[in-house]
Amino acid sequence: MFRFLDSILGWFSMDMGIDLGTCNTLVCVRGEGIVLNEPSVVAVRKGTNIVLNNGEAVGIMAKEMLGKTPGSITAIRPLKDGVISDFEITEAMLSYFIRKVHGRGGWRIRPRVVIAVPSGITAVERRAVIDSAERAGARRVYLVDEPMAAGIGAGLPITEPTASMIIDIGGGTTEVAIMSLADISTCESIRIGGDDMDEAIINHLKRTYNLLIGEPRAEQVKIQLGSAAPLEQELTMEIAGRDTISGLPRKIVITSEEIREALKEPISGIIEAVTRTLEKAEPELAADLIENGMHLAGGGCLLRGMDTVLANATGLKVVRADEPLTCVARGTSVYLENLEIWKDTMDHSGYGWS
């Protein structure tokens, strides 16, 4: 009876799928696709959990403040390595996003929410995601592993008796999984992602040039110069920051070769995770991958040459998914469309209904 009632309420609620990422949060609505894509950043008054601008300093507005706030304001990224590091700030952020999307359709019942989470997080971390979403306004919460959502969003035949391999390189984690018959056969989740690449660039400039830059500028360097394999034409750019010795602003010219060298460590970590996953694969699934290859998703796969180094390391065909930044969110959208079929296989919560 409770399940029937939940299904009826679902017709009147704006059910949502959420890719709760370390760098960006994407929200999709059943029947509408992706309706929100904003940075996972919140600006609060220093020493408190009070969100600025009456709770509106979230997302794009808050990201613009990163590294530029006065002493009275703190811009916080409440997720680290794909998991919640600040429970209350995450709740405020989710509440803002749910309210922003939910308010578009006038009065509605509290929504059911599907949230994609890293496959390697603990039961306590999963519980924290569920609790945050419930307190933020969700009626019922379902969790789906990011590799499954990414595979569905990339259009892989994960329900068929053949191997589908996805490598989802996000901001805080990299998820590597081999799937078959609508489940994960083997997977590897490592806490290495785009943030670690940014950190590697910051450390390189500090160590080599005594130049200190912030995360937003490091991300800009990664996008403009970053590569995993040699480029046909190497690039250069000017970068400004603070000299760690004199304390004064300074500008230097850097090259794509040195940034590639700086990125070797995080890239090597990703390659090792891929090879470990392949080593654990069942022989028949491994054989399928000779034909099917591997698919890349997530913002990190946009790094120049990432597909090349993975192909060279494994000998397999590597394909970058269409619109890799939105693969996970699109996968949660498919879960939403088929929620009645999938929900019994997912972590869930809400009113104790079963």
mmCIF file of all heavy atoms in Angstrom, residues 211-253:
data_model
loop_
_atom_site.group_PDB
_atom_site.id
_atom_site.type_symbol
_atom_site.label_atom_id
_atom_site.label_comp_id
_atom_site.label_asym_id
_atom_site.label_seq_id
_atom_site.Cartn_x
_atom_site.Cartn_y
_atom_site.Cartn_z
ATOM 1 N N LEU A 211 56.062 30.760 -7.284
ATOM 2 C CA LEU A 211 54.855 31.515 -7.632
ATOM 3 C C LEU A 211 53.644 30.801 -7.057
ATOM 4 O O LEU A 211 53.448 29.603 -7.293
ATOM 5 C CB LEU A 211 54.714 31.652 -9.143
ATOM 6 C CG LEU A 211 53.602 32.599 -9.616
ATOM 7 C CD1 LEU A 211 54.040 34.045 -9.415
ATOM 8 C CD2 LEU A 211 53.254 32.352 -11.080
ATOM 9 N N LEU A 212 52.834 31.526 -6.312
ATOM 10 C CA LEU A 212 51.649 30.941 -5.687
ATOM 11 C C LEU A 212 50.400 31.384 -6.444
ATOM 12 O O LEU A 212 50.171 32.582 -6.631
ATOM 13 C CB LEU A 212 51.562 31.387 -4.224
ATOM 14 C CG LEU A 212 50.533 30.663 -3.339
ATOM 15 C CD1 LEU A 212 50.856 29.177 -3.253
ATOM 16 C CD2 LEU A 212 50.499 31.289 -1.952
ATOM 17 N N ILE A 213 49.612 30.410 -6.899
ATOM 18 C CA ILE A 213 48.345 30.704 -7.563
ATOM 19 C C ILE A 213 47.227 29.958 -6.851
ATOM 20 O O ILE A 213 47.471 29.014 -6.096
ATOM 21 C CB ILE A 213 48.366 30.328 -9.061
ATOM 22 C CG1 ILE A 213 48.538 28.810 -9.231
ATOM 23 C CG2 ILE A 213 49.471 31.084 -9.793
ATOM 24 C CD1 ILE A 213 48.363 28.337 -10.658
ATOM 25 N N GLY A 214 45.982 30.348 -7.101
ATOM 26 C CA GLY A 214 44.826 29.706 -6.488
ATOM 27 C C GLY A 214 44.247 28.623 -7.377
ATOM 28 O O GLY A 214 44.659 28.431 -8.527
ATOM 29 N N GLU A 215 43.246 27.907 -6.847
ATOM 30 C CA GLU A 215 42.631 26.800 -7.568
ATOM 31 C C GLU A 215 41.973 27.231 -8.880
ATOM 32 O O GLU A 215 42.122 26.541 -9.892
ATOM 33 C CB GLU A 215 41.613 26.093 -6.673
ATOM 34 C CG GLU A 215 42.253 25.329 -5.517
ATOM 35 C CD GLU A 215 41.216 24.683 -4.622
ATOM 36 O OE1 GLU A 215 40.018 24.696 -4.986
ATOM 37 O OE2 GLU A 215 41.586 24.163 -3.562
ATOM 38 N N PRO A 216 41.225 28.355 -8.909
ATOM 39 C CA PRO A 216 40.600 28.746 -10.181
ATOM 40 C C PRO A 216 41.625 28.986 -11.293
ATOM 41 O O PRO A 216 41.413 28.602 -12.441
ATOM 42 C CB PRO A 216 39.842 30.037 -9.820
ATOM 43 C CG PRO A 216 39.581 29.923 -8.359
ATOM 44 C CD PRO A 216 40.778 29.240 -7.808
ATOM 45 N N ARG A 217 42.753 29.613 -10.945
ATOM 46 C CA ARG A 217 43.776 29.881 -11.956
ATOM 47 C C ARG A 217 44.494 28.585 -12.367
ATOM 48 O O ARG A 217 44.864 28.413 -13.531
ATOM 49 C CB ARG A 217 44.779 30.912 -11.444
ATOM 50 C CG ARG A 217 45.399 31.772 -12.539
ATOM 51 C CD ARG A 217 46.100 32.978 -11.945
ATOM 52 N NE ARG A 217 45.158 33.904 -11.335
ATOM 53 C CZ ARG A 217 44.604 34.934 -11.971
ATOM 54 N NH1 ARG A 217 44.884 35.154 -13.233
ATOM 55 N NH2 ARG A 217 43.779 35.740 -11.343
ATOM 56 N N ALA A 218 44.666 27.671 -11.422
ATOM 57 C CA ALA A 218 45.269 26.379 -11.763
ATOM 58 C C ALA A 218 44.375 25.599 -12.726
ATOM 59 O O ALA A 218 44.858 24.942 -13.659
ATOM 60 C CB ALA A 218 45.516 25.568 -10.492
ATOM 61 N N GLU A 219 43.078 25.681 -12.513
ATOM 62 C CA GLU A 219 42.138 25.015 -13.416
ATOM 63 C C GLU A 219 42.223 25.623 -14.816
ATOM 64 O O GLU A 219 42.159 24.917 -15.823
ATOM 65 C CB GLU A 219 40.716 25.127 -12.872
ATOM 66 C CG GLU A 219 39.693 24.391 -13.712
ATOM 67 C CD GLU A 219 38.281 24.497 -13.160
ATOM 68 O OE1 GLU A 219 38.007 25.449 -12.399
ATOM 69 O OE2 GLU A 219 37.456 23.634 -13.500
ATOM 70 N N GLN A 220 42.391 26.931 -14.876
ATOM 71 C CA GLN A 220 42.532 27.611 -16.156
ATOM 72 C C GLN A 220 43.785 27.121 -16.896
ATOM 73 O O GLN A 220 43.754 26.881 -18.106
ATOM 74 C CB GLN A 220 42.615 29.126 -15.925
ATOM 75 C CG GLN A 220 42.713 29.957 -17.191
ATOM 76 C CD GLN A 220 42.896 31.428 -16.889
ATOM 77 O OE1 GLN A 220 42.921 31.853 -15.745
ATOM 78 N NE2 GLN A 220 43.047 32.217 -17.934
ATOM 79 N N VAL A 221 44.893 26.961 -16.161
ATOM 80 C CA VAL A 221 46.129 26.431 -16.754
ATOM 81 C C VAL A 221 45.898 25.021 -17.280
ATOM 82 O O VAL A 221 46.323 24.661 -18.386
ATOM 83 C CB VAL A 221 47.281 26.452 -15.727
ATOM 84 C CG1 VAL A 221 48.496 25.720 -16.283
ATOM 85 C CG2 VAL A 221 47.645 27.876 -15.343
ATOM 86 N N LYS A 222 45.216 24.192 -16.481
ATOM 87 C CA LYS A 222 44.945 22.802 -16.887
ATOM 88 C C LYS A 222 44.150 22.762 -18.188
ATOM 89 O O LYS A 222 44.455 21.963 -19.085
ATOM 90 C CB LYS A 222 44.180 22.091 -15.768
ATOM 91 C CG LYS A 222 43.796 20.655 -16.075
ATOM 92 C CD LYS A 222 43.038 20.036 -14.915
ATOM 93 C CE LYS A 222 41.681 20.688 -14.732
ATOM 94 N NZ LYS A 222 40.909 20.109 -13.616
ATOM 95 N N ILE A 223 43.146 23.613 -18.287
ATOM 96 C CA ILE A 223 42.290 23.623 -19.476
ATOM 97 C C ILE A 223 43.060 24.117 -20.697
ATOM 98 O O ILE A 223 42.948 23.554 -21.793
ATOM 99 C CB ILE A 223 41.037 24.485 -19.230
ATOM 100 C CG1 ILE A 223 40.137 23.821 -18.179
ATOM 101 C CG2 ILE A 223 40.272 24.713 -20.524
ATOM 102 C CD1 ILE A 223 39.004 24.700 -17.688
ATOM 103 N N GLN A 224 43.878 25.165 -20.531
ATOM 104 C CA GLN A 224 44.550 25.775 -21.676
ATOM 105 C C GLN A 224 45.824 25.049 -22.092
ATOM 106 O O GLN A 224 46.157 24.990 -23.273
ATOM 107 C CB GLN A 224 44.860 27.240 -21.378
ATOM 108 C CG GLN A 224 43.615 28.109 -21.250
ATOM 109 C CD GLN A 224 43.939 29.597 -21.236
ATOM 110 O OE1 GLN A 224 44.968 30.033 -21.714
ATOM 111 N NE2 GLN A 224 43.041 30.381 -20.685
ATOM 112 N N LEU A 225 46.560 24.497 -21.119
ATOM 113 C CA LEU A 225 47.858 23.883 -21.421
ATOM 114 C C LEU A 225 47.926 22.394 -21.136
ATOM 115 O O LEU A 225 48.792 21.706 -21.660
ATOM 116 C CB LEU A 225 48.977 24.568 -20.609
ATOM 117 C CG LEU A 225 49.348 26.005 -20.925
ATOM 118 C CD1 LEU A 225 50.587 26.396 -20.143
ATOM 119 C CD2 LEU A 225 49.580 26.225 -22.412
ATOM 120 N N GLY A 226 47.046 21.886 -20.278
ATOM 121 C CA GLY A 226 47.169 20.521 -19.790
ATOM 122 C C GLY A 226 47.077 19.462 -20.875
ATOM 123 O O GLY A 226 46.295 19.579 -21.818
ATOM 124 N N SER A 227 47.888 18.418 -20.739
ATOM 125 C CA SER A 227 47.843 17.290 -21.663
ATOM 126 C C SER A 227 48.449 16.070 -20.985
ATOM 127 O O SER A 227 49.293 16.192 -20.094
ATOM 128 C CB SER A 227 48.594 17.596 -22.964
ATOM 129 O OG SER A 227 49.972 17.771 -22.713
ATOM 130 N N ALA A 228 48.022 14.895 -21.429
ATOM 131 C CA ALA A 228 48.571 13.651 -20.904
ATOM 132 C C ALA A 228 49.584 13.046 -21.856
ATOM 133 O O ALA A 228 50.392 12.221 -21.461
ATOM 134 C CB ALA A 228 47.438 12.655 -20.655
ATOM 135 N N ALA A 229 49.546 13.464 -23.122
ATOM 136 C CA ALA A 229 50.466 12.963 -24.149
ATOM 137 C C ALA A 229 51.034 14.162 -24.909
ATOM 138 O O ALA A 229 50.431 15.245 -24.920
ATOM 139 C CB ALA A 229 49.720 12.031 -25.101
ATOM 140 N N PRO A 230 52.198 13.997 -25.541
ATOM 141 C CA PRO A 230 52.796 15.111 -26.297
ATOM 142 C C PRO A 230 51.842 15.666 -27.350
ATOM 143 O O PRO A 230 51.086 14.915 -27.986
ATOM 144 C CB PRO A 230 54.027 14.467 -26.947
ATOM 145 C CG PRO A 230 54.384 13.326 -26.034
ATOM 146 C CD PRO A 230 53.073 12.810 -25.521
ATOM 147 N N LEU A 231 51.871 16.982 -27.533
ATOM 148 C CA LEU A 231 51.013 17.660 -28.493
ATOM 149 C C LEU A 231 51.754 17.867 -29.814
ATOM 150 O O LEU A 231 52.983 17.968 -29.845
ATOM 151 C CB LEU A 231 50.574 19.018 -27.944
ATOM 152 C CG LEU A 231 49.886 19.012 -26.581
ATOM 153 C CD1 LEU A 231 49.610 20.436 -26.125
ATOM 154 C CD2 LEU A 231 48.594 18.212 -26.630
ATOM 155 N N GLU A 232 51.008 17.943 -30.900
ATOM 156 C CA GLU A 232 51.622 18.223 -32.195
ATOM 157 C C GLU A 232 52.303 19.588 -32.173
ATOM 158 O O GLU A 232 53.379 19.776 -32.732
ATOM 159 C CB GLU A 232 50.559 18.183 -33.298
ATOM 160 C CG GLU A 232 50.042 16.796 -33.608
ATOM 161 C CD GLU A 232 49.086 16.797 -34.784
ATOM 162 O OE1 GLU A 232 48.990 17.858 -35.465
ATOM 163 O OE2 GLU A 232 48.458 15.759 -35.026
ATOM 164 N N GLN A 233 51.649 20.540 -31.520
ATOM 165 C CA GLN A 233 52.231 21.868 -31.360
ATOM 166 C C GLN A 233 52.114 22.259 -29.895
ATOM 167 O O GLN A 233 51.017 22.452 -29.389
ATOM 168 C CB GLN A 233 51.508 22.885 -32.247
ATOM 169 C CG GLN A 233 52.105 24.283 -32.187
ATOM 170 C CD GLN A 233 51.449 25.230 -33.177
ATOM 171 O OE1 GLN A 233 50.609 24.830 -33.976
ATOM 172 N NE2 GLN A 233 51.830 26.491 -33.121
ATOM 173 N N GLU A 234 53.249 22.343 -29.218
ATOM 174 C CA GLU A 234 53.241 22.663 -27.790
ATOM 175 C C GLU A 234 52.793 24.114 -27.572
ATOM 176 O O GLU A 234 52.987 24.979 -28.429
ATOM 177 C CB GLU A 234 54.626 22.430 -27.174
ATOM 178 C CG GLU A 234 55.108 20.982 -27.278
ATOM 179 C CD GLU A 234 54.282 19.999 -26.471
ATOM 180 O OE1 GLU A 234 53.468 20.435 -25.640
ATOM 181 O OE2 GLU A 234 54.458 18.778 -26.666
ATOM 182 N N LEU A 235 52.177 24.364 -26.414
ATOM 183 C CA LEU A 235 51.541 25.645 -26.135
ATOM 184 C C LEU A 235 52.262 26.391 -25.016
ATOM 185 O O LEU A 235 52.990 25.790 -24.216
ATOM 186 C CB LEU A 235 50.085 25.410 -25.733
ATOM 187 C CG LEU A 235 49.241 24.553 -26.684
ATOM 188 C CD1 LEU A 235 47.916 24.201 -26.035
ATOM 189 C CD2 LEU A 235 49.018 25.280 -28.002
ATOM 190 N N THR A 236 52.038 27.700 -24.961
ATOM 191 C CA THR A 236 52.558 28.523 -23.865
ATOM 192 C C THR A 236 51.470 29.485 -23.413
ATOM 193 O O THR A 236 50.515 29.761 -24.158
ATOM 194 C CB THR A 236 53.792 29.347 -24.285
ATOM 195 O OG1 THR A 236 53.409 30.262 -25.331
ATOM 196 C CG2 THR A 236 54.920 28.464 -24.782
ATOM 197 N N MET A 237 51.594 29.979 -22.183
ATOM 198 C CA MET A 237 50.672 31.011 -21.705
ATOM 199 C C MET A 237 51.321 31.780 -20.566
ATOM 200 O O MET A 237 52.269 31.296 -19.922
ATOM 201 C CB MET A 237 49.341 30.401 -21.238
ATOM 202 C CG MET A 237 49.416 29.627 -19.931
ATOM 203 S SD MET A 237 47.797 29.033 -19.346
ATOM 204 C CE MET A 237 47.029 30.556 -18.805
ATOM 205 N N GLU A 238 50.821 32.986 -20.341
ATOM 206 C CA GLU A 238 51.264 33.779 -19.206
ATOM 207 C C GLU A 238 50.378 33.484 -18.013
ATOM 208 O O GLU A 238 49.167 33.299 -18.161
ATOM 209 C CB GLU A 238 51.202 35.281 -19.526
ATOM 210 C CG GLU A 238 52.301 35.783 -20.442
ATOM 211 C CD GLU A 238 52.294 37.299 -20.547
ATOM 212 O OE1 GLU A 238 51.211 37.912 -20.348
ATOM 213 O OE2 GLU A 238 53.360 37.886 -20.824
ATOM 214 N N ILE A 239 50.985 33.418 -16.837
ATOM 215 C CA ILE A 239 50.218 33.180 -15.615
ATOM 216 C C ILE A 239 50.721 34.142 -14.539
ATOM 217 O O ILE A 239 51.931 34.342 -14.397
ATOM 218 C CB ILE A 239 50.344 31.700 -15.163
ATOM 219 C CG1 ILE A 239 49.478 31.411 -13.945
ATOM 220 C CG2 ILE A 239 51.791 31.328 -14.899
ATOM 221 C CD1 ILE A 239 48.015 31.356 -14.244
ATOM 222 N N ALA A 240 49.777 34.725 -13.832
ATOM 223 C CA ALA A 240 50.126 35.693 -12.781
ATOM 224 C C ALA A 240 49.772 35.123 -11.416
ATOM 225 O O ALA A 240 48.819 34.351 -11.277
ATOM 226 C CB ALA A 240 49.396 37.010 -13.005
ATOM 227 N N GLY A 241 50.557 35.488 -10.414
ATOM 228 C CA GLY A 241 50.302 35.059 -9.055
ATOM 229 C C GLY A 241 51.130 35.881 -8.090
ATOM 230 O O GLY A 241 51.629 36.952 -8.439
ATOM 231 N N ARG A 242 51.318 35.362 -6.883
ATOM 232 C CA ARG A 242 52.102 36.071 -5.865
ATOM 233 C C ARG A 242 53.429 35.372 -5.648
ATOM 234 O O ARG A 242 53.475 34.161 -5.466
ATOM 235 C CB ARG A 242 51.312 36.136 -4.550
ATOM 236 C CG ARG A 242 52.091 36.786 -3.400
ATOM 237 C CD ARG A 242 51.175 37.113 -2.238
ATOM 238 N NE ARG A 242 50.502 35.943 -1.703
ATOM 239 C CZ ARG A 242 51.053 35.114 -0.812
ATOM 240 N NH1 ARG A 242 52.304 35.311 -0.397
ATOM 241 N NH2 ARG A 242 50.372 34.092 -0.343
ATOM 242 N N ASP A 243 54.491 36.159 -5.693
ATOM 243 C CA ASP A 243 55.821 35.627 -5.441
ATOM 244 C C ASP A 243 55.936 35.241 -3.964
ATOM 245 O O ASP A 243 55.682 36.056 -3.083
ATOM 246 C CB ASP A 243 56.884 36.676 -5.793
ATOM 247 C CG ASP A 243 58.287 36.088 -5.812
ATOM 248 O OD1 ASP A 243 58.756 35.646 -4.749
ATOM 249 O OD2 ASP A 243 58.895 36.094 -6.890
ATOM 250 N N THR A 244 56.334 33.991 -3.708
ATOM 251 C CA THR A 244 56.378 33.519 -2.318
ATOM 252 C C THR A 244 57.555 34.097 -1.537
ATOM 253 O O THR A 244 57.562 34.039 -0.306
ATOM 254 C CB THR A 244 56.458 31.981 -2.272
ATOM 255 O OG1 THR A 244 57.630 31.552 -2.981
ATOM 256 C CG2 THR A 244 55.230 31.354 -2.896
ATOM 257 N N ILE A 245 58.539 34.653 -2.231
ATOM 258 C CA ILE A 245 59.706 35.228 -1.549
ATOM 259 C C ILE A 245 59.514 36.716 -1.284
ATOM 260 O O ILE A 245 59.625 37.178 -0.145
ATOM 261 C CB ILE A 245 60.988 34.998 -2.378
ATOM 262 C CG1 ILE A 245 61.255 33.490 -2.496
ATOM 263 C CG2 ILE A 245 62.190 35.706 -1.722
ATOM 264 C CD1 ILE A 245 62.406 33.136 -3.402
ATOM 265 N N SER A 246 59.193 37.470 -2.333
ATOM 266 C CA SER A 246 59.029 38.919 -2.167
ATOM 267 C C SER A 246 57.632 39.288 -1.678
ATOM 268 O O SER A 246 57.434 40.365 -1.116
ATOM 269 C CB SER A 246 59.313 39.636 -3.486
ATOM 270 O OG SER A 246 58.296 39.341 -4.440
ATOM 271 N N GLY A 247 56.654 38.394 -1.924
ATOM 272 C CA GLY A 247 55.270 38.699 -1.560
ATOM 273 C C GLY A 247 54.561 39.596 -2.550
ATOM 274 O O GLY A 247 53.410 39.975 -2.337
ATOM 275 N N LEU A 248 55.239 39.935 -3.666
ATOM 276 C CA LEU A 248 54.671 40.853 -4.655
ATOM 277 C C LEU A 248 54.052 40.081 -5.823
ATOM 278 O O LEU A 248 54.457 38.954 -6.118
ATOM 279 C CB LEU A 248 55.764 41.799 -5.171
ATOM 280 C CG LEU A 248 56.444 42.672 -4.121
ATOM 281 C CD1 LEU A 248 57.569 43.473 -4.762
ATOM 282 C CD2 LEU A 248 55.424 43.596 -3.456
ATOM 283 N N PRO A 249 53.087 40.704 -6.528
ATOM 284 C CA PRO A 249 52.520 40.061 -7.718
ATOM 285 C C PRO A 249 53.594 39.887 -8.790
ATOM 286 O O PRO A 249 54.469 40.735 -8.957
ATOM 287 C CB PRO A 249 51.438 41.047 -8.177
ATOM 288 C CG PRO A 249 51.127 41.873 -6.981
ATOM 289 C CD PRO A 249 52.405 41.972 -6.206
ATOM 290 N N ARG A 250 53.497 38.775 -9.528
ATOM 291 C CA ARG A 250 54.477 38.505 -10.575
ATOM 292 C C ARG A 250 53.827 37.697 -11.689
ATOM 293 O O ARG A 250 52.877 36.942 -11.448
ATOM 294 C CB ARG A 250 55.671 37.744 -9.992
ATOM 295 C CG ARG A 250 56.815 37.494 -10.982
ATOM 296 C CD ARG A 250 58.126 37.217 -10.234
ATOM 297 N NE ARG A 250 58.066 35.990 -9.466
ATOM 298 C CZ ARG A 250 58.465 34.791 -9.921
ATOM 299 N NH1 ARG A 250 58.931 34.676 -11.152
ATOM 300 N NH2 ARG A 250 58.413 33.723 -9.144
ATOM 301 N N LYS A 251 54.337 37.831 -12.889
ATOM 302 C CA LYS A 251 53.810 37.119 -14.053
ATOM 303 C C LYS A 251 54.945 36.338 -14.707
ATOM 304 O O LYS A 251 56.070 36.838 -14.826
ATOM 305 C CB LYS A 251 53.220 38.113 -15.044
ATOM 306 C CG LYS A 251 52.564 37.475 -16.265
ATOM 307 C CD LYS A 251 52.109 38.527 -17.263
ATOM 308 C CE LYS A 251 50.924 39.319 -16.729
ATOM 309 N NZ LYS A 251 50.386 40.250 -17.763
ATOM 310 N N ILE A 252 54.654 35.104 -15.122
ATOM 311 C CA ILE A 252 55.650 34.283 -15.800
ATOM 312 C C ILE A 252 55.018 33.635 -17.030
ATOM 313 O O ILE A 252 53.794 33.670 -17.209
ATOM 314 C CB ILE A 252 56.217 33.179 -14.877
ATOM 315 C CG1 ILE A 252 55.086 32.242 -14.435
ATOM 316 C CG2 ILE A 252 56.946 33.779 -13.685
ATOM 317 C CD1 ILE A 252 55.565 31.003 -13.710
ATOM 318 N N VAL A 253 55.860 33.035 -17.883
ATOM 319 C CA VAL A 253 55.395 32.274 -19.045
ATOM 320 C C VAL A 253 55.675 30.803 -18.787
ATOM 321 O O VAL A 253 56.795 30.426 -18.412
ATOM 322 C CB VAL A 253 56.098 32.736 -20.335
ATOM 323 C CG1 VAL A 253 55.676 31.855 -21.513
ATOM 324 C CG2 VAL A 253 55.781 34.197 -20.632
#
